[in-house]
Amino acid sequence: MNDSNDPRAASPGRPAGAGIAARALAARGGPVAAPPADYLAGLNPEQRAAVETTEGPVLVLAGAGTGKTRVLTTRIAHILATRRAYASQILAVTFTNKAAREMRNRIGLLVGGEVEGMPWLGTFHSIGVKILRKHAELVGLKPNFTILDTDDQIRLIKQLIQAENLDDKRWPARTFANLMDGWKNRGLTPEHIPEGDARAFGNGRGRELYRAYQARLLSLNAADFGDLLLHPIAIFQNHPDVLADYHRRFRYILVDEYQDTNVAQYLWLRLLAQSSEARVAEGIRTVNVCCVGDDDQSIYGWRGAEVDNILRFDKDFPGSTVIRLERNYRSTAHILGAAAHLIAHNEDRLGKTLFTDFHDPEHEKVTVNAGWDSEEEARAIGEEIEQLQRKSHALNDMAILVRASFQMREFEDRFVTLGLNYRVIGGPRFYERQEIRDALAYFRCVCQPADDLAFERIVNTPKRGLGDAALKLLHEYARAKTMPLIEAAGDLVQGDELKPRPRAALAEVVRNFARWSSLLPTMRHTDLGEMILDESGYTEMWQADRSADAPGRLENLKELIRSMDDYESLPGFLEHIALVMDAEQNAETDAVSIMTLHSAKGLEFETVFLPGWEEGLFPHQRSLDEGGRSGLEEERRLAYVGITRGKKRVKIWFVSNRRIHGMWQSTIPSRFLDELPEDHVDVLEPSTSYGGYGAGGMGGYGASRWDQNAFSASSYQTPGWRRAQAAGGGGSTYAGGRGQAIRYGEGGVAGSEPASRTASKADRYISRDGRPVGETGFDEPAAPTFDRSGFAGKLTDPLSANRSRGSNMPARKGGGLYASARAGGPRDIEGSLVAKSVADEESRFTVGDRVFHLKFGNGTVALIEGNKLTVDFDRAGQKRVLDGFVEAV
DNA sequence: AACATCCCTATTTTT
DNA sequence: TAGGGATGTT
């Protein structure tokens, strides 16, 4: 494991001479030990402590916006400058390529751009690959193994499931992939998975499938993402000499985003960070591991991250120093105040309080805005953006952060009509596009003749007349001879088992690959790439395609070839793209960013819009269902991440109606809204242009909704909200009461529940001035720009929907996102209703019934499909709605 | 092999 | 609603 760029390789021992970094710094005068070196200038005392405490285990709890990356990079610069280690002796791990890139750049800036090194700065996975390539044979791989992506993985699993004679409908490959992913995240090999897990899939054959999968990977000379960690762990565990080599090498270990590490990463890290004889022999007596993270920003539990890793750091590394970074340099006091108050509702946290000196009476409070439906939300936010733009705020400084990607569409639609520039971050990636993956499959076959998965992908793409029959023959032959498919194809075309036409087609494929492979060592890889795509007929296939996206695909293929230019060779390129699935976004044009809260972590914007704060969506119902209290806490951290992205302005929205899977459902405000502190939050009336609402417009319904029923405490409307806050009793601890009580059996809200059920119909329809309204409300003229405003006052008591739904909502799943969220309370308490609903297939309605819907008014039932009704509404036309949302009239 | 039709499902996402 | 996947039809 001698790196050629490691000066220590030849002569072990303490670094003898100044590293490049140290030289660069020393040149600026004075011995490096003399404080303060200029890279330390400007650090606050805590940051400085985090940088200078180089020896022993250190945990840096870095709150949002407290200069985490700065600490990390400065610490590395400091280690280099003080000659504690060479760049090649520092292991620095991040989660994303982006983070690794940024660190590399910033270290470069700090030490004067001359550090060519830091060979061990990278993501867990890229470092894992590096280690695995060196010792591949120890786990039965060849050093040039391929890295499978999810797509390949699924196809492979599917084959295995079919090979086991299991019904792949009943046991979807996708599900097993997730299951296996979970095992790998926890560092579990087939022998170690819990019996229950093993039984849970494929008629109890989970373990066998996992085993078969791993065996198949070895025969394909391939590893999946999980293996990039698991194999190194196995190597370290089974080959102490190899581990000792790494112990001698790594003097300093740094980990970014420690709160996101999973068990496998933790094990990997712990092995590398162990104190060992090898280290002691090198004069290293302490484990110089520094983990940086923020437990409050742990949002990847669903992906296997263990917040626990950060919570018990001091137990893993006894004698550790914990440094808290709490001075925030990003946001206003209002924003921090709101975020802090919210996150304080979490129990599982180490506890930090961010503070700032950034006070200014001009600062805006965090706003909470109510909207009628998601269309209005998009419209109003669009308008606010345009207003800011008129006040010469750059679009680049604004972002819309959503909980789920389906929310994006509404904004996109709206912005397109407004002609407002936007960019969607995340979403389908370049390297995941079909045409790119096809092209890559060709390249993989050329570099890796054993890559059956790649071969399968493209044998008949473009169409070559190789149908099921021919491929089945090929597979059987290959299996019988245990040889790769390409090789099998080479044999098969010699014989006469194949019909003439497929035989000729396959022969050509074989010939082509042989030729391309032979050109690999000599031809420029970009030219070869182009040649492959042309000669295979792949380019032609898209040229002939008349569909609208074909030109774009051709463009992507060109881009692919172009980007190959940045790499040495075809294999080098393939390696890169296997690990780096992100494509750079251009920040050239001024545009609003739209992204999920997850992908916003680490970013910051002057103005942040947070739409969709509604129960069921945020917190997401599924997190609640699957994660219980910790699921809720993770959602709350997500909210915290969202708020703390804002520097100057944070604008939260919730609406009363949202369209889910094409059907309108009414929603109730997120419990997180109740967890925001009054003094940092302004509750606003909609500021949009449509008339008719005026002062008290939304207020009316809000008050009616919350004041009349169990949710009174959650009313954001003054005076209702204030009153509730002041009263403190009743339902004022909304979070601990309603939502959670149900789930965690704390007793529920027995008192409030019957009240809500017996509320009269009049209670439910309260006009904006607080008067109960009847049918006449529908006769109000619609405001010109807003077709539903005629219904303004009436809607919105969520309980009416709850109540009316009752009987025929399927247990949890079928109820849909919002339905089950809202139904959560009363129904689960009663239990029997749930049970009844499962069995009760019959609708309460029959075709021809007159019904009333909160959103669409009166109508006639035209069709009933389970709990879905098609209703001809008098005003709104024909709509499909869940029957829980209409009432008989 | 291309096209039609039915059925099912429906977070967050990096590597 | 919409999109994918699997199945059936020509």
Side-chain angles (χ1 to χ4, degrees):
Chain A
M1 56 168 280
N2 287 341
D3 275 349
S4 54
N5 62 351
D6 181 358
R8 285 196 58 256
S11 59
R14 303 282 299 169
I20 293 161
R23 255 186 279 124
L25 289 156
R28 289 180 215 162
V32 276
D38 49 358
Y39 57 87
L40 293 176
L43 296 180
N44 67 37
E46 295 75 32
Q47 292 177 326
R48 186 145 173 192
V51 167
E52 292 188 313
T53 312
T54 52
E55 311 308 299
V58 178
L59 175 65
V60 180
L61 290 172
T66 55
K68 179 195 70 168
T69 309
R70 181 163 185 203
V71 162
L72 224 33
T73 52
T74 311
R75 184 181 166 95
I76 291 172
H78 182 68
I79 289 166
L80 293 171
T82 53
R83 307 181 194 182
R84 285 179 161 81
Y86 290 128
S88 59
Q89 296 170 323
I90 300 172
L91 171 67
V93 226
T94 64
F95 271 83
T96 63
N97 291 295
K98 198 176 147 205
R101 220 182 298 133
E102 190 184 344
M103 270 181 68
R104 195 176 286 282
N105 289 341
R106 286 174 67 167
I107 294 168
L109 289 176
L110 275 174
V111 302
E114 278 189 71
V115 169
E116 95 267 11
M118 295 299 298
W120 297 98
L121 187 163
T123 61
F124 276 101
H125 295 269
S126 66
I127 290 169
V129 179
K130 192 164 174 169
I131 292 171
L132 190 51
R133 294 240 185 254
K134 281 192 179 136
H135 315 285
E137 70 292 342
L138 296 181
V139 291
L141 288 169
K142 284 176 248 153
N144 66 342
F145 62 85
T146 19
I147 301 164
L148 251 47
D149 57 40
T150 326
D151 216 58
D152 299 324
Q153 218 183 334
I154 304 269
R155 281 187 297 138
L156 201 159
I157 294 168
K158 194 163 181 180
Q159 290 174 9
L160 293 172
I161 288 174
Q162 284 164 347
E164 290 270 329
N165 275 325
L166 292 166
D167 178 3
D168 62 346
K169 271 248 158 100
R170 174 130 182 252
W171 306 107
R174 173 94 231 143
T175 308
F176 189 71
N178 288 331
L179 203 59
M180 207 163 51
D181 203 46
W183 294 330
K184 292 194 169 186
N185 282 154
R186 285 181 280 153
L188 300 172
T189 49
E191 310 76 66
H192 296 123
I193 62 172
E195 192 55 33
D197 277 25
R199 279 184 217 274
F201 191 90
N203 292 337
R205 274 182 281 175
R207 196 189 304 277
E208 289 70 33
L209 275 170
Y210 186 9
R211 262 205 202 98
Y213 172 82
Q214 290 304 123
R216 186 89 182 93
L217 286 192
L218 288 188
S219 73
L220 288 169
N221 191 30
D224 65 19
F225 282 118
D227 291 342
L228 301 182
L229 285 164
L230 290 196
H231 284 322
I233 289 173
I235 292 170
F236 294 156
Q237 285 171 336
N238 302 330
H239 303 272
D241 50 318
V242 175
L243 182 59
D245 270 350
Y246 287 99
H247 282 164
R248 276 191 286 273
R249 166 179 300 271
F250 296 133
R251 282 150 189 267
Y252 293 91
I253 298 176
L254 295 93
V255 186
D256 190 18
E257 307 277 20
Y258 191 57
Q259 78 282 353
D260 287 338
T261 48
N262 60 34
V263 172
Q265 286 157 337
Y266 164 78
L267 291 172
W268 184 89
L269 191 70
R270 207 177 60 179
L271 283 161
L272 284 172
Q274 259 166 23
S275 147
S276 72
E277 284 179 26
R279 281 217 160 90
V280 173
E282 293 287 301
I284 307 170
R285 291 182 191 283
T286 53
V287 180
N288 299 320
V289 59
C290 173
C291 296
V292 182
D294 180 359
D295 50 316
D296 290 334
Q297 290 187 69
S298 160
I299 54 174
Y300 284 108
W302 52 275
R303 210 164 73 182
E306 285 280 335
V307 212
D308 211 41
N309 289 345
I310 198 168
L311 298 177
R312 51 141 220 265
F313 183 84
D314 55 340
K315 293 189 189 67
D316 291 327
F317 299 99
S320 61
T321 311
V322 177
I323 297 169
R324 286 184 154 76
L325 303 182
E326 297 175 303
R327 178 182 292 270
N328 176 288
Y329 294 97
R330 178 187 294 153
S331 310
T332 67
H334 285 315
I335 292 173
L336 289 185
H341 197 267
L342 175 92
I343 199 67
H345 289 76
N346 272 4
E347 286 171 27
D348 286 340
R349 59 191 296 256
L350 294 167
K352 277 185 279 46
T353 311
L354 297 182
F355 66 94
T356 180
D357 295 333
F358 196 26
H359 294 283
D360 186 334
E362 295 288 292
H363 284 161
E364 297 171 31
K365 289 188 176 183
V366 171
T367 63
V368 171
N369 306 266
W372 169 253
D373 63 11
S374 42
E375 283 169 26
E376 185 199 314
E377 182 183 59
R379 188 164 42 231
I381 288 176
E383 222 155 282
E384 280 200 78
I385 290 170
E386 288 188 318
Q387 264 171 37
L388 287 167
Q389 205 181 11
R390 280 194 285 276
K391 288 188 263 174
S392 56
H393 289 84
L395 296 179
N396 277 338
D397 293 333
M398 305 178 211
I400 297 168
L401 310 182
V402 298
R403 177 61 182 82
S405 36
F406 76 82
Q407 292 173 262
M408 294 180 178
R409 208 178 120 181
E410 210 119 30
F411 290 100
E412 293 192 62
D413 288 352
R414 185 64 193 155
F415 294 173
V416 166
T417 57
L418 287 178
L420 199 60
N421 272 344
Y422 68 89
R423 96 185 105 230
V424 171
I425 315 258
R429 283 141 218 285
F430 184 72
Y431 294 116
E432 282 171 9
R433 289 161 202 268
Q434 183 196 335
E435 66 277 15
I436 300 300
R437 313 186 60 126
D438 288 344
L440 293 176
Y442 274 101
F443 301 162
R444 278 162 59 187
C445 288
V446 171
C447 297
Q448 268 280 14
D451 195 336
D452 284 359
L453 290 167
F455 186 73
E456 280 166 15
R457 184 177 180 106
I458 46 79
V459 247
N460 199 33
T461 310
K463 301 266 183 273
R464 300 186 170 95
L466 292 166
D468 291 346
L471 293 180
K472 188 157 176 248
L473 206 61
L474 178 60
H475 269 112
E476 276 161 6
Y477 186 90
R479 177 176 286 249
K481 299 258 178 170
T482 44
M483 53 167 60
L485 289 173
I486 292 199
E487 214 178 306
D491 280 8
L492 217 51
V493 294
Q494 310 291 332
D496 55 0
E497 291 101 313
L498 284 166
K499 298 216 170 83
R501 196 187 282 267
R503 199 172 109 188
L506 196 58
E508 199 197 334
V509 173
V510 171
R511 258 199 321 277
N512 275 337
F513 275 114
R515 187 157 35 81
W516 296 326
S517 297
S518 73
L519 289 169
L520 187 59
T522 50
M523 196 169 178
R524 240 173 69 85
H525 65 288
T526 46
D527 296 337
L528 180 59
E530 215 171 339
M531 181 190 229
I532 293 169
L533 295 186
D534 285 345
E535 293 187 358
S536 63
Y538 193 72
T539 318
E540 201 183 335
M541 176 183 104
W542 287 116
Q543 280 163 347
D545 192 303
R546 304 298 299 136
S547 65
D549 49 357
R553 293 182 193 270
L554 284 165
E555 202 42 57
N556 288 337
L557 289 171
K558 275 193 204 137
E559 176 58 35
L560 181 73
I561 300 289
R562 255 196 303 273
S563 66
M564 285 168 65
D565 213 16
D566 300 338
Y567 299 86
E568 294 277 298
S569 63
L570 204 48
F573 175 69
L574 289 176
E575 165 96 25
H576 166 82
I577 53 121
L579 289 172
V580 180
M581 295 299 271
D582 61 351
E584 298 273 335
Q585 283 269 350
N586 75 315
E588 310 272 293
T589 51
D590 194 33
V592 188
S593 298
I594 305 176
M595 67 186 97
T596 63
L597 287 159
H598 283 93
S599 38
K601 192 166 75 153
L603 305 178
E604 58 179 32
F605 301 88
E606 296 279 305
T607 305
V608 163
F609 294 92
L610 302 171
W613 282 43
E614 296 127 35
E615 284 294 302
L617 176 58
F618 193 34
H620 201 283
Q621 189 57 38
R622 205 149 147 184
S623 299
L624 264 31
D625 289 346
E626 287 166 13
R629 185 181 62 92
S630 67
L632 172 65
E633 295 207 345
E634 181 154 315
E635 294 288 301
R636 194 178 280 115
R637 291 193 290 268
L638 206 45
Y640 175 80
V641 166
I643 295 171
T644 53
R645 298 310 93 196
K647 292 157 87 171
K648 297 273 184 57
R649 266 171 302 275
V650 171
K651 292 165 178 291
I652 299 169
W653 277 80
F654 70 93
V655 301
S656 309
N657 296 80
R658 195 169 284 279
R659 189 159 51 178
I660 306 292
H661 310 321
M663 273 178 290
W664 286 100
Q665 301 188 212
S666 30
T667 55
I668 65 172
S670 170
R671 67 190 75 184
F672 296 150
L673 292 170
D674 301 299
E675 299 173 359
L676 297 171
E678 198 180 353
D679 28 331
H680 294 297
V681 174
D682 268 338
V683 180
L684 299 183
E685 299 301 328
S687 58
T688 41
S689 57
Y690 51 83
Y693 282 84
M698 286 303 171
Y701 85 67
S704 75
R705 167 169 44 202
W706 288 317
D707 286 346
Q708 306 282 327
N709 56 46
F711 303 139
S712 62
S714 71
S715 170
Y716 247 85
Q717 311 306 318
T718 52
W721 187 60
R722 289 222 173 85
R723 193 167 60 237
Q725 295 284 312
S732 70
T733 48
Y734 177 26
R738 194 190 65 94
Q740 292 182 321
I742 295 135
R743 219 144 252 308
Y744 311 111
E746 289 166 19
V749 279
S752 63
E753 204 267 321
S756 67
R757 294 203 157 242
T758 52
S760 73
K761 185 161 181 171
D763 287 334
R764 284 175 252 140
Y765 307 131
I766 304 290
S767 76
R768 51 174 170 268
D769 53 12
R771 257 183 313 116
V773 296
E775 289 297 297
T776 52
F778 286 93
D779 299 320
E780 290 176 23
T785 53
F786 185 55
D787 60 357
R788 271 177 290 277
S789 58
F791 301 112
K794 24 180 76 166
L795 106 309
T796 43
D797 175 351
L799 288 183
S800 67
N802 259 354
R803 250 175 275 129
S804 58
R805 191 158 355 88
S807 69
N808 59 349
M809 204 182 85
R812 185 161 78 190
K813 234 174 153 166
L817 216 48
Y818 297 97
S820 46
R822 293 178 311 102
R827 208 181 353 257
D828 283 7
I829 289 169
E830 285 191 14
S832 61
L833 269 178
V834 176
K836 184 180 168 214
S837 71
V838 180
D840 189 355
E841 288 292 317
E842 282 196 5
S843 177
R844 297 173 290 142
F845 302 103
T846 39
V847 172
D849 277 1
R850 288 289 288 168
V851 293
F852 169 73
H853 183 272
L854 290 169
K855 187 173 188 71
F856 303 118
N858 289 315
T860 308
V861 177
L863 185 67
I864 301 170
E865 305 153 274
N867 62 338
K868 292 165 193 164
L869 306 178
T870 303
V871 179
D872 288 318
F873 287 104
D874 304 346
R875 287 164 172 272
Q878 194 175 77
K879 305 275 180 196
R880 285 180 86 210
V881 295
L882 285 181
D883 84 342
F885 290 89
V886 300
E887 302 200 9
V889 287

